[in-house]
Amino acid sequence: MTLTDIAPSVFETVESEVRSYCRAWPVVFEQARGSRLYDEHGRSYLDFFAGAGSLNYGHNNPVLKRALLDYLAGDGVTHGLDMSTTAKRDFLETFRSVVLEPRALPYKVMFPGPTGTNAVEAALKLARKVTGRETVVSFTNAFHGMSLGSLAATGNAAKRAGAGVPLPHVTRMPYDHYLDGRMPDFLWFERLLADPGSGLDRPAAVIVETVQGEGGINVARAEWLRGLADLCRRHDMLLIVDDVQMGCGRTGDFFSFEEAGITPDIVALSKSISGYGLPMALCLFRPELDQWQPGEHNGTFRGNNPAFVTATAALDTYWRDDTLRDRTLARAARVEGALGDLLGENGRSAVSFRGRGLVWGLEFADGKQAAAVCRRAFELGLLLETSGPYDEVVKLLPPLTATDDELDEGLGILARSVRHTA
Amino acid sequence: MTLTDIAPSVFETVESEVRSYCRAWPVVFEQARGSRLYDEHGRSYLDFFAGAGSLNYGHNNPVLKRALLDYLAGDGVTHGLDMSTTAKRDFLETFRSVVLEPRALPYKVMFPGPTGTNAVEAALKLARKVTGRETVVSFTNAFHGMSLGSLAATGNAAKRAGAGVPLPHVTRMPYDHYLDGRMPDFLWFERLLADPGSGLDRPAAVIVETVQGEGGINVARAEWLRGLADLCRRHDMLLIVDDVQMGCGRTGDFFSFEEAGITPDIVALSKSISGYGLPMALCLFRPELDQWQPGEHNGTFRGNNPAFVTATAALDTYWRDDTLRDRTLARAARVEGALGDLLGENGRSAVSFRGRGLVWGLEFADGKQAAAVCRRAFELGLLLETSGPYDEVVKLLPPLTATDDELDEGLGILARSVRHTA
Amino acid sequence: MTLTDIAPSVFETVESEVRSYCRAWPVVFEQARGSRLYDEHGRSYLDFFAGAGSLNYGHNNPVLKRALLDYLAGDGVTHGLDMSTTAKRDFLETFRSVVLEPRALPYKVMFPGPTGTNAVEAALKLARKVTGRETVVSFTNAFHGMSLGSLAATGNAAKRAGAGVPLPHVTRMPYDHYLDGRMPDFLWFERLLADPGSGLDRPAAVIVETVQGEGGINVARAEWLRGLADLCRRHDMLLIVDDVQMGCGRTGDFFSFEEAGITPDIVALSKSISGYGLPMALCLFRPELDQWQPGEHNGTFRGNNPAFVTATAALDTYWRDDTLRDRTLARAARVEGALGDLLGENGRSAVSFRGRGLVWGLEFADGKQAAAVCRRAFELGLLLETSGPYDEVVKLLPPLTATDDELDEGLGILARSVRHTA
Amino acid sequence: MTLTDIAPSVFETVESEVRSYCRAWPVVFEQARGSRLYDEHGRSYLDFFAGAGSLNYGHNNPVLKRALLDYLAGDGVTHGLDMSTTAKRDFLETFRSVVLEPRALPYKVMFPGPTGTNAVEAALKLARKVTGRETVVSFTNAFHGMSLGSLAATGNAAKRAGAGVPLPHVTRMPYDHYLDGRMPDFLWFERLLADPGSGLDRPAAVIVETVQGEGGINVARAEWLRGLADLCRRHDMLLIVDDVQMGCGRTGDFFSFEEAGITPDIVALSKSISGYGLPMALCLFRPELDQWQPGEHNGTFRGNNPAFVTATAALDTYWRDDTLRDRTLARAARVEGALGDLLGENGRSAVSFRGRGLVWGLEFADGKQAAAVCRRAFELGLLLETSGPYDEVVKLLPPLTATDDELDEGLGILARSVRHTA
């Protein structure tokens, strides 16, 4: 037929070769509601990717949608730079009362540009500025973004190669489990820090994800995170948690580091903070670190007010009590069980699984098998993506608001896909 | 009173000291329509800043608003990563037929993260990747963004100092008029390029703004831009135009470089491309430069579909004919006349003015005087900002859709503000 | 008194504060012969520092002296840039027949500037040029020199701080024994190399000392060196051995890596290569790496012909058979025994010792104790220096040509010094 | 024949391809006296290259030779690290009384490693350390050395390419005459310094040669040097003069900057400082800059005592009065006249000449012609080298001690060589 036949052409002829997800899912999406996307022919897809973690409350969540439509219809300020607006005030007050105060977190809130990489760039700048040091420590298989500052802290070789210039000032340490327990935690790191001959210039900060999403759903133990926080304190390094993908309830708690009982010095938030998939990012830090000059870091879209409106609605709706958190934790057990069954049954191709809250990874022997599973899942109506250094890990990031039936449906399709491709 | 008294407190107590515009305009804005913003007490402000050039079609433009509300109400895809969507297809088709084809521009379109700095980071990466060289040339008083890659190409010392690390791989050249004509154009640049002993490593690219907004409304002559394009061609350097602030009609034509008759190799667009103040950015480049690997540069919010919808509506409404362009050029003369009168009358404090289309700068002897004028203008209900290395230039960026009366009103307030503070 | 009282003043008033050894040994030296230095008052000092390893054949070795005096008296070319000279030819022919051919080493010989740091700079340049990669791996507590290229590979924090700029492009790995065997050899290194998400950009080369002199006389096991060579081969990294201090017989064999049976891709030699304390350095590499353009690395004093003359005489005298080598190895046992006795007796302050050939370190609990021992030894007529990250290791580097009596005398003074200061 | 036929083979088979001068002068040199070198067959060559400026007092100068032989014969300390020795004391006292005091120069004296590049590395380190800034300004066609720190300040593209890593932290300015007077001196530099938006990070220092030797014998006017010194003072940048090649009388005065009446903050000396072609280097600086920690910059051969001995003898012999200086200046006129005549006669191939003291350059239309002239001169028994970005400048660096006859002889051969190759 015609429209479809012609339609893709503009993507192929005009859009850059850099496009990626559209290659795995070769349809044109038109609508989205809750846990589902619909293509232009009305076919529905269960979304277990959720905007790479940007849609924790589902697509076009009706409560947030109502708030957004009202705000836009009423000619609320749309683009606000860093002017004070009522929408920003509502957000700040809500964030303070719903998120910060109940957790006794003393953070100041910065609005960097509205993307994760910008929040990370701001965090790294601030850490370097405050400490007067240049080196930052990041971890194997970390992903922190694609602008030069955050790309330097990212591990992926292909993405690093895109920089076209060296990416200095970052030293790499092994993430939890990286050496399979064959070296005591932080032995190497601490030795380097303690030894004036080690060659490690004293770091400004350590930046860490509590669960590495792009890196292959690598889950740090709470104990490891506490060890890291302790190391930072003892060696006077700032601890930055990049909670861009794992924050906003993905692991159960609002912040992914709560479980470990640590308080990072700086936190980067983005993706699901607006709750509606609108670009928004925050950088949080201890008040004594708030040594910015006015405008020293800025960005045109740091005051994306429609995002403040949906963010406020999301906090109001989902974080005034523990309902969502508890449900997410409960579902973690459900997913874990399903994956356990699946692995028991299909140990030939899938080799292991791990996760926390509603982020899970099913590791295959290689990237080819993982891709085949995702391809089959897509045919069966389920959107899944891979991650990991070899794209060998199938990643499960369903909306936190998915129903039990949707969760079961997705896990069922996954199981079938594994079976079909094993 | 109460609400107001308390209201600001959350900005002061919770928001980071990095906030800036809100300090010059110490009110809480609530609504916006066309050329005006309204604070929470209903006071109206004529906006001659227009979201730093992000609101060329005014606040909450009704045509775009209709399209946006319909899209959101109909549960169109909001967050689309780089999936193919009907909204993206509409945008690409419209951009091709309304912008690219009529200008015989052969560009491929890349959606980097939705901010200007991200579009610049992508442009610099691509130029380095394609050429295999590291050095990029930028100009005195350039502003290209705040993440490390684009900040390296930015001139402002205070903003550079925020990096906390050296910003290498960029060589600076004098922008047009920088040396007051005391050196022939490009003499120094060409000498360095031609001389294998000069110490200038062969550049991958030159990045330039046709009018430097943050740098103080410095306007490059068409002839200078042509000379630059010619130099790039002769020395095999890519020419990148950062049209983030000056594109989308700000200088009259859709692209600010059209007047000079040049075709850059790479163009960065953002700010007004969505037309509604929603975060969106594009990177355009010659097809032979499209050497990206899939996903080699990415970003969570590169598929901000609501922005595609308003961008499409903006192109449909304003760029299918020359009406807006011609009106902008006509108004340039009107502003020029008014500033000429003002300077004639107030030569004591204002020292010069310059501009193109609807971007103008009125330079004062120092930053204090410029600040005083903006302060007084604010009291009189007009939003103005300063720019330039000493913040000594009052910047005029009215919406292109401002009415004649609004334009006159703003120019009148400006004149009064200058008078009051001289 | 007069001369002495006045004499030091020019050092204090005119020479820079950067001077260091003269502070520990506050006399003015005038003459030197064999294993002894003499101050201007004729007092003799047994030299167990040997020019930091530059005087393996003793001070003013009479055989070399004869050759040098003859050459100078006969107006042989003194300064030869990189012109072909008979002195250089003699050296090259002798080096080939005495050093390279018997060991089946296929190396080309480069004369960089006449210092160790210059040989290292040349080695690193060549490795990066040939591989097209930027990263070099060096080890904890490595010392490779003080110019920016070699300083980047050096571990010492105080020396690194002198650079005044970041020292990028070098990644640090744990030297042998660094983690006390709590991690399998090369586990971390190999994991990083094998994992495309590790963040380690593929290294051009690994640079290593077989025994770290400045780093505290850390001795790598032959097995560890073989593991490293194997790792380099498997991962296509060049192996550079910095044999500046440990080469020329210090550990027994001419090259310190012979014991391990490995063949580095590149070797840096300096210090004792001239044999007479004259500045000279070599960079050796596999012929297929000899991809230099003529003059691509150069230096005014790379043709220090008097040094070629003494170097040739030294090779002729000491390396045409195994006498020196065997004697050095035999003495290793003697020193080891003496240090063992000393430790047994004085375990309170000295905590351990290690070494190979005639390079040994006696480690104390802290730098203060090590300094006190050296101070006392100086009073007793023995020159000793410290090394290690805390200057906690007393270093023994007697001339290889020291007599048995001198060796015993020195060890005896050391033992007394430890006793006196314990 | 045999010996000669075989002899070169070791250079070709064992020495690295990096060798360069030996390619232009394909003989094996054996002896040298005064202004002449002799090859192994006894053929004599008049040396107008003088060890690239390292042999200002000729080869094996008999006065210096006597002192050296006596010192070596008497077992004076040869290798002294930075120990105090009588030879060093003699040198320091002589340097103070003969060089520093008569010129009222307050410098402290540092002995870095014994090469020019090491002196420059030390100078740059110190400037960065003292100011806490990273950027250094150097000039087009500058040559400062080949280790990474000094190479970054060097202009030559081929030499820079050898680094294999980017060479950051240096900004280039036009040397005197670079733009043929089409821009006022320092207009660009001063504009950048004065403008906080220029993108030039505040420099630690400016490093300059008063005459660029490798760069093509470019001679800065005294007035330009004074302008530069003034600029440095006004903008609080340290002024470093690299007098490695032009110092020690090459331009007439002991320091090449004396003519301009300026006092640099830091001076790098090497090449002819030992006077005998022995490796030696000095770094001189104002006492208030002497902020080194002991050993913060070091090097094994910084105490090359034989070089101290010849350096002292050279100062004693040539710098206690103005004889050498005056003779050099007088000869400048003689060379200038001869080159003027030559140019008048041969304007077809030689295009211009310039120089000061006894350093002169004769510029040809291209490098091929300059090479042909040098080749012909070699056949006629004169050693000449080229320099400049295209190797298009024949360089004249006769020993300052050349006799009038030798000077005339060399100029005569040069003239004939030009004639033969025109």
Side-chain angles (χ1 to χ4, degrees), chain C residues 38 97 108 187-188 192 222 249 358 381 408:
Chain C
Y38 302 86
S97 67
K108 296 293 286 286
L187 172 66
W188 167 232
L192 288 173
L358 276 173
D408 289 347

Side-chain angles (χ1 to χ4, degrees), chain B residues 11 25 39 57 84 88 144 178 195 208 214 241 252 285 324 337 340 345 353 359 361 391 394 407:
Chain B
F11 301 113
W25 304 326
D39 73 16
Y57 316 115
S84 299
K88 189 200 268 190
H144 297 294
Y178 194 68
D195 176 5
V208 69
E214 298 305 305
V241 169
F285 34 79
L324 179 67
E345 175 196 333
F353 67 95
V359 50
D391 295 319
V394 170
L407 196 61

Side-chain angles (χ1 to χ4, degrees), chain B residues 30-107:
Chain B
E30 187 160 31
Q31 287 187 301
R33 262 184 304 274
S35 305
R36 294 187 191 274
L37 279 156
Y38 302 87
D39 73 16
E40 58 183 336
H41 304 301
R43 198 186 162 208
S44 129
Y45 301 84
L46 186 59
D47 183 5
F48 268 35
F49 191 47
S54 300
L55 296 162
N56 284 0
Y57 316 115
H59 291 270
N60 297 328
N61 182 299
V63 184
L64 282 58
K65 174 175 166 182
R66 187 68 270 144
L68 178 62
L69 288 175
D70 287 352
Y71 186 78
L72 294 171
D75 284 336
V77 173
T78 297
H79 183 282
L81 290 161
D82 68 355
M83 296 185 272
S84 299
T85 63
T86 48
K88 189 200 268 190
R89 183 171 61 201
D90 289 349
F91 170 74
L92 282 170
E93 288 176 350
T94 305
F95 191 76
R96 179 175 58 184
S97 66
V98 173
V99 174
L100 297 181
E101 287 177 352
R103 291 164 182 80
L105 292 170
Y107 296 140

Side-chain angles (χ1 to χ4, degrees), chain B residues 235-291:
Chain B
H235 289 279
D236 184 28
M237 306 179 291
L238 297 174
L239 177 61
I240 305 171
V241 169
D242 177 342
D243 229 13
V244 166
Q245 192 170 67
M246 295 304 146
C248 306
R250 175 53 60 188
T251 66
D253 293 313
F254 185 81
F255 293 112
S256 70
F257 53 78
E258 294 180 50
E259 189 199 48
I262 61 173
T263 303
D265 298 293
I266 307 180
V267 179
L269 273 189
S270 183
K271 291 203 188 265
S272 275
I273 183 64
S274 83
Y276 206 73
L278 302 178
M280 177 174 168
L282 299 181
C283 197
L284 313 174
F285 34 79
R286 294 184 184 278
E288 62 270 29
L289 302 178
D290 191 15
Q291 300 175 19

Side-chain angles (χ1 to χ4, degrees), chain C residues 7 14 16 18 20-21 31 40 60 65 74-75 78 82 89 109 121 125 146 159 271 290 295-296 300, chain D residues 7 14 16 18 20-21 31 40 60 65 74-75 78 82 89 109 125 146 148 159 271 290 295-296 300:
Chain C
V14 177
S16 163
V18 81
S20 61
Y21 293 119
Q31 287 187 301
E40 59 183 336
N60 297 327
K65 176 176 165 181
D75 284 336
T78 299
D82 68 356
R89 184 171 60 201
V109 176
E121 293 263 348
K125 271 190 187 181
M146 298 295 277
K159 302 218 184 293
K271 291 203 188 266
D290 191 14
E296 194 172 0
T300 293
Chain D
V14 176
S16 163
V18 81
S20 60
Y21 293 118
Q31 286 187 301
E40 58 183 337
N60 297 327
K65 176 176 166 181
D75 284 338
T78 297
D82 69 355
R89 184 171 60 202
V109 176
K125 270 190 188 181
M146 298 296 277
L148 287 196
K159 303 218 184 292
K271 291 203 187 264
D290 191 15
E296 193 172 0
T300 293

Side-chain angles (χ1 to χ4, degrees), chain B residues 191-200, chain D residues 139-143 153-158 160 172 178 212 214-215 218 388-390:
Chain B
R191 187 83 175 80
L192 288 173
L193 289 167
D195 176 5
S198 72
L200 175 66
Chain D
F139 291 93
T140 50
N141 285 295
F143 181 88
T154 292
N156 188 283
R160 292 172 66 81
R172 219 71 42 178
Y178 194 67
Q212 294 182 323
E214 298 305 305
N218 306 314
Y390 304 96

